[in-house]
Amino acid sequence: MSGEKKAVVYVRLKEGVLDPQGVTIHKALLQMGYKDFLSVRSGRFFELTVRADGDDIDRQIDEVCARLLANPVIESYSVEKS
Amino acid sequence: MSGEKKAVVYVRLKEGVLDPQGVTIHKALLQMGYKDFLSVRSGRFFELTVRADGDDIDRQIDEVCARLLANPVIESYSVEKS
């Protein structure tokens, strides 16, 4: 029987790359009166369900991060397996 | 002296809510030949830097989640404090 497993991929902008969404949210917070918020950085994550017995599945996950989920020029990613 | 602390807010679509971005990514993966991927759900996260001595800062964080970062009708959120 083939089981499933989950992996979560977190994609964030590399340090130094401008994050307009984060900046906009931060400005909105200040305008709403939340003065204790110093900065906001935004990111995306993807919850993947994969076949546990897939061929070299960890390598496949890493591959799709670089090929599809993240833009390696400006983004970094990390994978959390469970 | 006022310190800083970090919190990460994870926003995801509630179960049962259609995730077109996740579906699209999953289809793309299958077209690219990644047959071991069974499903993809997408989400967003926000790394917040806040004043550690802010007035009831944990309540403020919770408040901005519901008011600005997530749409409580279709999304749920969780906060990870560090």
Side-chain angles (χ1 to χ4, degrees), chain A residues 1-4 10 13 16 18 20-21 25 28 33-34 36 48 51 53 59 62 64-65 68-70 73:
Chain A
M1 205 196 85
S2 150
E4 296 177 359
Y10 299 91
L13 289 163
L18 185 69
Q21 191 188 2
I25 291 171
Y34 295 100
D36 294 320
L48 310 173
R51 256 185 263 280
D53 61 355
R59 185 194 48 74
D62 206 61
V64 305
C65 288
L68 188 71
L69 301 180
V73 178

Side-chain angles (χ1 to χ4, degrees), chain A residues 25-52:
Chain A
I25 291 171
H26 185 225
K27 279 187 193 157
L29 287 174
L30 296 180
Q31 277 168 10
M32 290 164 80
Y34 295 100
K35 305 296 183 203
D36 294 320
F37 289 76
L38 303 171
S39 78
V40 180
R41 293 282 284 177
S42 68
R44 292 168 289 129
F45 66 89
F46 303 96
E47 294 171 333
L48 310 173
T49 309
V50 297
R51 256 185 263 280

